[in-house]
Amino acid sequence: MESKINRITDILRRDDGISGAMHYTEQISWILFLKFLNDLEDSKADEALLIGKDYNTILDDKFKWSNWAVPKVNGKIDLINAKSGADLLDFVNKELFPYLKGFKSITEDPKSIKYKIGAIFEYLDNRIANGHTIREILDIIDELDFHNQSDLFQLSIIYEKLLKDMGSDGGNSGEFYTPRPLIKVMTDVVDPQVGQTIYDPAVGSCGFLIEAYNHIRYIDAKENKQRDISVNQLKFLSEDTFFGNEKTPLSYVMGVMNMILHGIESPNIYKTNTLTKDIRGLEEKDRYDIILANPPFGGKEKEQIQQNFPIKSNATELLFLQHMMNSLKVNGRCGVVIPEGVLFQTNNAFQAVKQELLERFNVHTILSLPSGVFLPYSGVKTNVIFFDRNGSTSDIFYYEVNPTSKLTKNKPITYDHFSEFLSVWKDRTITENSWIVNINDIKDFDISAKNPNRNEAIEHKSPIELVENIKLNNEEINDLMNEIEAILIGKDINE
């Protein structure tokens, strides 16, 4: 399967309408999705036949894969009726896409797969410029078989690789790819269980929700070994477990498709800006058991958005943190990636948010990540805060990840980098890389990770201190320059 996908990406790179990994991933996605949908419908029709029921297909006959994509006669492609070139391009652009885009408006049930298809194609367009290119890709993808669980599982792995390649491309595509080892570690710590609701306010490609699904559904995801769960639990897992919002259209499309391709047919993913919701009106029924997220940071929000939060700030990281704090159920658990600055900054807004976090929630663990985790698209130093809504914070367990070599694009973070952390965090074992800070020892709500076991502790100074240091350094430099100047003048006179 992977070799076929690689062939397709090579073909797409030659097409005039495709530019970069973002485009070819997007275009492979919609074609893969329609083949997956065809095989899903075949399986459901067979299941209905076995129990003597009729199955109503999602797609009209004209738009079924077997009729437009790869029509066959006696198991072989029907060369007479198989469209190609300009005819195929016209059909895709003028008939297929308008038909699929219309699904969202013809059903009111947001949980139905028909609604999800419409929601996906609402923000998708065919970018492939050559109909012959489409024909080549259709023929290759038709060879893939998604009728059984092992093939679907393989498809999900391939799709994750496509998303990773798109993330590695840097730029905007990096917005919706968080390193999977980090996602798995955060999910292992938060430990979602069947029957709980799971939320990501900035889902991107839904990596956190999918890892939470794997955590619940599989004993060993690599070996595709599933847990035994009841029919009702499986229904809840598919329809009422996963929730998320995404602001960016392409991220939203990739996320919903990623969920469906992983076997979650009805994820509750919405295209909206999470920060437009007034969090002060949230009731317990609107909250979630589990929150996992890596929300966007470094952005600025306008005054109108800030009105939705009790502590106003234009920093998106503070607004998302407040949103998650207010979206967590009693006894709920949260793991969130935040930039280093949130931990040590002590201006009014940062201090107020952290005061509420420490006093209303149990911040039990802070994981300090090494530089380079989000390369190539961000070099910002980050941390993960784990907190529960079950009382106030008494002390915080810190762990500092220290790789033996520098992380780079070609040497990224791996799951093994977290092995010691995963073995010590629950029992709060003190090591060279871990320590505990009592709440009474925290000043000005500065909760930054300063490892007492290391001599090279990073000192975070206030802006005033930094200015004074700069002035002092400048004075020292001026003194040295004056000395050098005097020496040179004296040398000239003597000569």
Side-chain angles (χ1 to χ4, degrees):
M1 189 181 294
E2 185 171 1
S3 65
K4 288 181 170 63
I5 299 299
N6 289 338
R7 279 170 58 202
I8 293 169
T9 58
D10 288 340
I11 291 167
L12 282 173
R13 287 190 185 100
R14 301 195 300 266
D15 189 85
D16 292 339
I18 306 301
S19 175
M22 184 184 292
H23 279 178
Y24 71 63
T25 300
E26 176 191 56
Q27 296 305 296
I28 292 173
S29 295
W30 72 257
I31 302 175
L32 267 177
F33 180 77
L34 292 180
K35 177 60 166 69
F36 160 81
L37 184 63
N38 175 79
D39 292 1
L40 178 69
E41 290 224 82
D42 285 348
S43 298
K44 289 192 172 185
D46 290 342
E47 289 170 9
L49 185 64
L50 285 173
I51 58 175
K53 288 187 175 182
D54 293 328
Y55 174 72
N56 295 319
T57 60
I58 298 167
L59 303 179
D60 293 344
D61 284 347
K62 181 178 182 179
F63 300 100
K64 289 179 181 177
W65 180 273
S66 56
N67 289 332
W68 76 268
V70 188
K72 293 178 181 176
V73 176
N74 298 323
K76 294 183 178 181
I77 188 166
D78 182 355
L79 297 175
I80 296 174
N81 294 307
K83 293 182 176 68
S84 189
D87 290 343
L88 180 56
L89 192 63
D90 280 349
F91 175 82
V92 168
N93 291 338
K94 297 177 182 178
E95 298 188 56
L96 179 65
F97 267 76
Y99 169 75
L100 296 171
K101 287 174 186 287
F103 274 18
K104 191 175 177 183
S105 61
I106 62 175
T107 175
E108 295 179 356
D109 180 9
K111 290 187 179 297
S112 70
I113 193 165
K114 202 159 195 171
Y115 184 93
K116 303 297 180 188
I117 294 168
I120 289 169
F121 281 87
E122 179 181 6
Y123 301 104
L124 270 180
D125 288 299
N126 170 49
R127 292 179 182 272
I128 305 171
N130 190 309
H132 295 293
T133 301
I134 300 176
R135 175 79 269 150
E136 280 189 85
I137 296 168
L138 292 175
D139 290 346
I140 295 170
I141 288 183
D142 186 65
E143 297 172 5
L144 303 179
D145 186 350
F146 305 134
H147 286 94
N148 61 61
Q149 188 61 41
S150 61
D151 289 331
L152 277 175
F153 189 75
Q154 181 67 19
L155 170 63
S156 69
I157 293 171
I158 299 301
Y159 197 66
E160 282 293 312
K161 183 180 181 299
L162 283 170
L163 292 172
K164 181 179 181 181
D165 290 344
M166 189 164 66
S168 298
D169 214 32
N172 292 332
S173 54
E175 289 176 7
F176 35 94
Y177 190 83
T178 302
R180 290 323 186 236
L182 176 60
I183 289 177
K184 180 165 173 51
V185 167
M186 290 171 63
T187 306
D188 287 348
V189 172
V190 175
D191 191 25
Q193 300 294 312
V194 67
Q196 293 180 321
T197 52
I198 304 165
Y199 174 56
D200 182 347
V203 291
S205 61
C206 290
F208 282 103
L209 298 185
I210 287 165
E211 188 56 49
Y213 171 78
N214 290 339
H215 185 88
I216 294 169
R217 191 73 181 90
Y218 294 97
I219 299 169
D220 186 337
K222 285 185 178 179
E223 297 295 326
N224 195 23
K225 294 179 180 177
Q226 295 186 338
R227 300 182 198 278
D228 291 327
I229 62 176
S230 69
V231 173
N232 287 338
Q233 286 176 325
L234 194 58
K235 187 175 189 301
F236 183 86
L237 197 60
S238 180
E239 297 180 3
D240 299 306
T241 295
F242 301 104
F243 297 82
N245 299 325
E246 178 52 49
K247 178 180 177 180
T248 309
L250 181 56
S251 305
Y252 167 76
V253 166
M254 293 300 183
V256 176
M257 253 195 274
N258 201 12
M259 293 288 280
I260 294 174
L261 292 175
H262 274 79
I264 308 154
E265 286 184 28
S266 187
N268 302 285
I269 311 299
Y270 303 97
K271 189 197 167 293
T272 183
N273 180 357
T274 295
L275 302 180
T276 59
K277 186 177 183 65
D278 191 335
I279 64 172
R280 288 164 294 196
L282 286 177
E283 299 178 19
E284 190 66 12
K285 65 180 178 61
D286 302 318
R287 298 187 170 105
Y288 304 92
D289 297 297
I290 302 290
I291 298 177
L292 287 160
N294 175 20
F297 44 77
K300 303 296 180 185
E301 286 292 351
K302 54 190 176 184
E303 181 68 26
Q304 183 181 353
I305 295 291
Q306 296 178 46
Q307 298 302 319
N308 296 321
F309 299 87
I311 301 168
K312 295 177 178 58
S313 171
N314 65 0
T316 53
E317 51 265 40
L318 280 192
L319 301 182
F320 270 106
L321 187 53
Q322 289 182 77
H323 175 85
M324 286 181 277
M325 289 157 59
N326 279 270
S327 299
L328 199 61
K329 280 186 178 181
V330 173
N331 294 318
R333 305 187 295 280
C334 177
V336 55
V337 179
I338 49 103
E340 183 97 328
V342 172
L343 298 186
F344 67 77
Q345 288 194 54
T346 55
N347 67 30
N348 290 343
F350 280 88
Q351 190 170 120
V353 171
K354 286 186 286 187
Q355 180 175 356
E356 183 181 359
L357 178 65
L358 294 173
E359 292 178 353
R360 288 187 50 220
F361 299 85
N362 175 25
V363 180
H364 57 84
T365 303
I366 292 180
L367 176 63
S368 177
L369 301 174
S371 298
V373 169
F374 293 97
L375 290 173
Y377 37 85
S378 174
V380 175
K381 179 82 166 64
T382 54
N383 298 263
V384 182
I385 296 183
F386 296 99
F387 60 90
D388 303 338
R389 191 181 165 199
N390 61 0
S392 60
T393 304
S394 57
D395 53 39
I396 302 173
F397 177 78
Y398 287 84
Y399 187 91
E400 183 179 56
V401 179
N402 288 297
T404 54
S405 59
K406 183 179 178 181
L407 298 180
T408 65
K409 177 183 175 180
N410 297 322
K411 292 182 179 179
I413 196 83
T414 68
Y415 192 67
D416 288 341
H417 284 118
F418 299 97
S419 58
E420 185 184 72
F421 167 70
L422 291 170
S423 69
V424 302
W425 81 268
K426 192 173 288 187
D427 294 329
R428 313 185 111 204
T429 306
I430 306 300
T431 70
E432 183 182 350
N433 299 309
S434 59
W435 65 99
I436 294 174
V437 176
N438 188 278
I439 191 67
N440 296 319
D441 296 325
I442 293 173
K443 307 300 181 186
D444 300 323
F445 302 99
D446 178 349
I447 56 173
S448 54
K450 305 182 186 78
N451 190 342
N453 306 318
R454 295 184 176 274
N455 295 326
E456 312 89 15
I458 297 172
E459 185 180 3
H460 298 292
K461 297 183 178 180
S462 70
I464 295 297
E465 288 176 310
L466 291 172
V467 170
E468 292 298 327
N469 280 352
I470 291 170
K471 288 167 66 177
L472 184 62
N473 289 338
N474 285 339
E475 288 174 5
E476 292 176 356
I477 290 169
N478 286 334
D479 289 342
L480 287 170
M481 293 301 292
N482 288 335
E483 289 179 23
I484 292 169
E485 187 177 20
I487 292 170
L488 292 174
I489 289 172
K491 185 180 179 184
D492 288 342
I493 291 171
N494 291 332
E495 289 177 350

